[in-house]
Amino acid sequence: MPLSEEFLTELRYRNSIETIVSSYVNLHRRGNMITGLCPFHNEKTPSFTLYPENNSFYCFGCGVGGDVITFIRDIENLDYMEAVRLLSDRSGLPMPDDGFDDGARRLRQTLLEINRETARFFHNELKTQRGRKAYEYLKDRRLTDDTIRHFGLGYSPDSFDALLNHLKSKGFREPDIVLANVVANGKTGKPYDRFHNRIMFPIIDLRGNVIAFGGRIMPGLEGAKYINTADTPIYKKSRNIYALNVAKNTKENNLILAEGYMDVISLHQAGFTNAVASLGTAFTQEQALLLGRYCKEIVVTLDADEAGQKATEKAIRVLSGSNMRVRVLRIDGGKDPDEYIREFGPDRFRALLEGAGNEIEYKLFTLRQKYDLTADSGKMLYLNEAAILLSELPVAIARDIYSGKLAKELEVSKEAILKQTEQTRQRKTKAEYNKRLKEFTAPKIKQDAITPEKREHPRAACAEEAILCLLMNFPDLKKEMNGRVQPEDFMTGFHRKVFETVEKQLENGVFDLTLISGEFSTQEMGRIVAIQNKTVAKANAINELADCIRILKDEKENSIIGKASEMETDQWAEALQKLRRQKGSSS
């Protein structure tokens, strides 16, 4: 059964959009406008807007929007019922016990229980005789028992069914165990433990749930160094950060982005409790947005090998679009943070951390390594690339400062560097202008996944949006409709569905986003909010509605005429006659 209208209305009343969003986003109020930096895409100028009057939000930058339930679904990566439950728990509103389908929540809870029991099994194995070598390895890495316990480290035994048998003995079903990805089905269909003879690192989300695992191969053995949990219903590696559940509580004013589990654990043990890692995957925009909720500065300290340098460059590219400051820590000698701390101690590492340069300094350093600066040809090649890099800096003062540093370092004229930098900027500006001009003079109608018909019927789609906007904002206009528009008049399937939903709601005289949130995807809710919050004037509402109905009927008629060759003559004539009768009655 669906949730009752009374429950959803009370849920919305207890969870205002401003109160909920403000716990994730730093909001600014200007008159009736409430804005902030969007938590769903990287931006430096706020385009994320709240509408308290209808308890909705919308981002003009990325198009994400919806009601308070949609916001929680997107920000917490939850399904509809999980988001409702989170809001009900937060506001002290009991969930109704009316037999609604809560299967997704029960499955999620089962998978979390499987992972929790798996983590307990691995940790206990570390204390057994067969886990002795794994324990000794961790001790050789100078990890204390407290650290091992704090991060829940463990050992997966050299067996293909030890974990499977253990979980089954605890009452878990085999299909659920496989879905949790701690057990996999072999080619013959026989299940086997996915991790065996590995040191295990549980991955814990922000609420303290074990959601996945990483397994490191034992020293001296052949095979993949790390095996990680694949994406499951409770885990998406591109949206999670290792150890953020601990680092979010740090007293430091920044976060350290390291490369692997051991780097993070060693850093925490050494007192750097603000260290996190990106879970063995290329750093993603979703991860950058997640980190941005907890800090204003990121210090990137990935490994110094070639792979680590490429990962650093990728992380810088992703982070440069955010509103966080970025610094890069370089460790000489090709050492990673774990090795450096073990050899030189925490104080030396802290000194390195405090001296970490910003992203421009790191990029200049990386460029410098490519050329022989003792030769004039090497200097010229380096300065050419450096000028391109400096031309990307938006602030003139920054370009001046770095040009001065380069001039002093290479004993060349600062004015010459600035001149070349400015010439590069002008070429880029002209190229970008020409590109925008071409797009403006020859616009392309982009394919719209939500309303694909809009490409073929743009005029009708715009009229449909206007009709929906008017009905959502002025429910009394339903009387003016008086059957003049039917769902079949709409030429886009999505708008037709929204129209039917709005009409049904207006039978009670009001339109409430929260009451329809469960019927649409989060992407569709964003589109509905965009339509609802378009600027409309009540004084012209009746005339505008009439104009839109006329346009919609005209477009429908043109569409039917255009399909003459595809329809039987009698069928075509009947459809056209019916539409013209409707047009006559609506004029």
Side-chain angles (χ1 to χ4, degrees):
M1 291 177 60
L3 295 169
S4 69
E5 182 175 324
E6 291 76 12
F7 171 79
L8 289 173
T9 301
E10 181 66 18
L11 186 75
R12 176 176 60 81
Y13 174 76
R14 294 194 185 196
N15 293 278
S16 74
I17 193 72
E18 184 175 0
T19 300
I20 297 301
V21 172
S22 64
S23 63
Y24 298 90
V25 179
N26 187 19
L27 298 173
H28 303 279
R29 181 182 284 274
R30 295 179 182 175
N32 294 328
M33 291 284 290
I34 303 176
T35 61
L37 293 172
C38 180
F40 303 112
H41 82 286
N42 287 333
E43 64 175 5
K44 296 184 178 180
T45 302
S47 58
F48 183 80
T49 306
L50 300 190
Y51 300 94
E53 63 273 13
N54 54 36
N55 218 40
S56 69
F57 73 96
Y58 185 73
C59 176
F60 290 90
C62 65
V64 172
D67 68 327
V68 67
I69 299 174
T70 311
F71 179 82
I72 291 297
R73 289 175 69 181
D74 279 335
I75 199 78
E76 295 287 354
N77 190 29
L78 301 175
D79 66 24
Y80 175 76
M81 199 57 71
E82 289 170 336
V84 169
R85 186 174 293 277
L86 187 151
L87 289 170
S88 67
D89 290 344
R90 177 178 181 141
S91 59
L93 178 65
M95 286 288 290
D97 185 18
D98 56 3
F100 60 83
D101 182 10
D102 205 12
R105 186 192 68 83
R106 289 197 301 271
L107 174 61
R108 178 182 174 86
Q109 190 60 38
T110 296
L111 297 182
L112 290 175
E113 289 172 0
I114 288 172
N115 279 349
R116 183 169 60 247
E117 185 58 39
T118 298
R120 186 180 294 118
F121 173 79
F122 287 152
H123 185 67
N124 289 336
E125 281 293 317
L126 194 62
K127 305 170 187 176
T128 66
Q129 182 61 30
R130 57 183 175 181
R132 182 174 57 84
K133 288 185 178 180
Y135 177 75
E136 289 175 351
Y137 169 80
L138 294 175
K139 299 300 287 186
D140 287 343
R141 298 292 293 262
R142 300 184 188 176
L143 297 187
T144 66
D145 287 341
D146 284 344
T147 297
I148 292 171
R149 184 167 50 253
H150 183 62
F151 284 92
L153 305 186
Y155 170 71
S156 57
D158 191 9
S159 165
F160 286 92
D161 59 7
L163 175 63
L164 174 63
N165 291 335
H166 174 78
L167 291 174
K168 289 171 72 172
S169 74
K170 295 293 182 179
F172 294 109
R173 297 169 56 249
E174 191 173 292
D176 293 334
I177 298 172
V178 172
L179 190 59
N181 203 228
V182 294
V183 164
N185 283 322
K187 294 180 180 179
T188 62
K190 183 179 179 180
Y192 65 93
D193 289 0
R194 192 162 183 271
F195 303 97
H196 46 91
N197 204 15
R198 287 179 176 269
I199 297 163
M200 299 304 299
F201 302 84
I203 297 164
I204 301 172
D205 69 10
L206 295 171
R207 298 188 191 89
N209 299 310
V210 180
I211 55 174
F213 295 90
R216 187 197 190 284
I217 196 169
M218 289 293 294
L221 299 181
E222 294 183 356
K225 185 176 181 180
Y226 281 97
I227 292 179
N228 301 297
T229 299
D231 285 355
T232 71
I234 60 172
Y235 174 65
K236 298 290 183 289
K237 64 181 179 181
S238 64
R239 296 181 179 180
N240 287 278
I241 294 287
Y242 182 67
L244 186 58
N245 61 306
V246 179
K248 68 176 183 175
N249 300 316
T250 184
K251 295 180 180 179
E252 301 291 339
N253 58 6
N254 57 22
L255 291 176
I256 302 171
L257 179 63
E259 184 160 323
Y261 306 121
M262 285 302 301
D263 287 331
V264 169
I265 294 170
S266 294
L267 284 166
H268 276 255
Q269 181 172 277
F272 302 95
T273 57
N274 53 334
V276 296
S278 62
L279 293 171
T281 183
F283 190 68
T284 66
Q285 187 180 76
E286 292 98 325
Q287 291 171 324
L289 291 169
L290 181 58
L291 292 177
R293 286 160 52 184
Y294 296 97
C295 71
K296 294 297 183 183
E297 180 182 85
I298 292 287
V299 181
V300 180
T301 172
L302 304 181
D303 291 354
D305 57 18
E306 184 178 353
Q309 289 184 11
K310 289 182 179 179
T312 298
E313 292 169 4
K314 170 68 184 301
I316 290 173
R317 284 198 301 273
V318 174
L319 290 166
S320 63
S322 72
N323 64 324
M324 292 180 286
R325 295 184 298 274
V326 181
R327 293 194 293 135
V328 183
L329 185 149
R330 292 186 294 104
I331 302 177
D332 294 331
K335 297 182 184 298
D336 58 36
D338 175 39
E339 292 172 326
Y340 191 90
I341 288 173
R342 281 189 282 136
E343 184 169 345
F344 299 108
D347 291 340
R348 286 273 294 274
F349 184 82
R350 186 173 295 280
L352 279 181
L353 199 62
E354 292 172 353
N358 61 33
E359 57 184 291
I360 296 300
E361 291 166 342
Y362 173 79
K363 289 179 179 179
L364 287 172
F365 171 82
T366 304
L367 280 179
R368 195 179 297 121
Q369 307 311 302
K370 294 168 57 177
Y371 302 107
D372 177 10
L373 300 186
T374 61
D376 289 342
S377 59
K379 283 185 180 181
M380 290 177 61
L381 291 170
Y382 171 56
L383 286 171
N384 283 334
E385 286 204 53
I388 295 173
L389 178 61
L390 297 187
S391 71
E392 297 171 356
L393 295 175
V395 181
I397 293 176
R399 296 195 297 272
D400 187 89
I401 290 173
Y402 287 109
S403 294
K405 288 183 177 181
L406 284 173
K408 185 176 181 180
E409 176 189 359
L410 299 177
E411 298 179 343
V412 296
S413 164
K414 173 183 173 181
E415 288 70 24
I417 297 175
L418 280 172
K419 183 178 180 180
Q420 184 159 341
T421 299
E422 189 57 33
Q423 288 174 345
T424 303
R425 280 180 62 80
Q426 289 175 359
R427 285 195 298 270
K428 285 185 177 180
T429 301
K430 185 176 181 180
E432 290 171 0
Y433 171 78
N434 289 336
K435 181 180 178 182
R436 288 197 300 270
L437 182 63
K438 184 177 180 180
E439 291 174 349
F440 180 76
T441 55
K444 295 181 180 179
I445 300 176
K446 295 182 179 179
Q447 186 66 37
D448 187 336
I450 295 178
T451 55
E453 305 94 337
K454 189 172 184 177
R455 186 168 189 167
E456 187 177 353
H457 306 289
R459 194 162 177 256
C462 289
E464 292 168 0
E465 289 180 2
I467 291 171
L468 293 173
C469 176
L470 290 165
L471 287 176
M472 291 178 195
N473 287 283
F474 309 118
D476 289 345
L477 288 179
K478 186 176 186 299
K479 300 174 184 176
E480 294 291 330
M481 299 283 287
N482 194 26
R484 293 157 67 190
V485 176
Q486 301 298 324
E488 57 265 26
D489 294 328
F490 280 69
M491 301 184 73
T492 66
F494 172 68
H495 290 160
R496 186 182 307 117
K497 179 182 177 182
V498 176
F499 177 72
E500 291 173 330
T501 304
V502 172
E503 271 213 317
K504 184 177 180 181
Q505 275 217 353
L506 292 185
E507 291 175 1
N508 297 324
V510 294
F511 173 73
D512 188 340
L513 274 174
T514 304
L515 300 183
I516 69 169
S517 186
E519 300 178 37
F520 295 91
S521 70
T522 55
Q523 293 81 9
E524 290 172 335
M525 285 297 293
R527 187 64 58 85
I528 292 171
V529 169
I531 293 172
Q532 181 186 22
N533 289 298
K534 287 185 175 181
T535 302
V536 289
K538 189 171 185 178
N540 299 324
I542 294 178
N543 291 334
E544 187 174 344
L545 179 64
D547 289 341
C548 290
I549 292 174
R550 177 182 53 77
I551 291 171
L552 195 56
K553 296 290 186 180
D554 287 345
E555 291 297 303
K556 188 72 173 181
E557 181 176 346
N558 292 337
S559 175
I560 292 175
I561 292 173
K563 292 180 178 179
S565 61
E566 303 173 15
M567 304 170 67
E568 295 292 335
T569 302
D570 292 345
Q571 183 185 12
W572 175 79
E574 182 181 351
L576 190 60
Q577 190 175 15
K578 178 182 177 182
L579 180 65
R580 285 175 173 168
R581 282 198 302 269
Q582 290 178 354
K583 285 180 67 178
S585 64
S586 64
S587 58

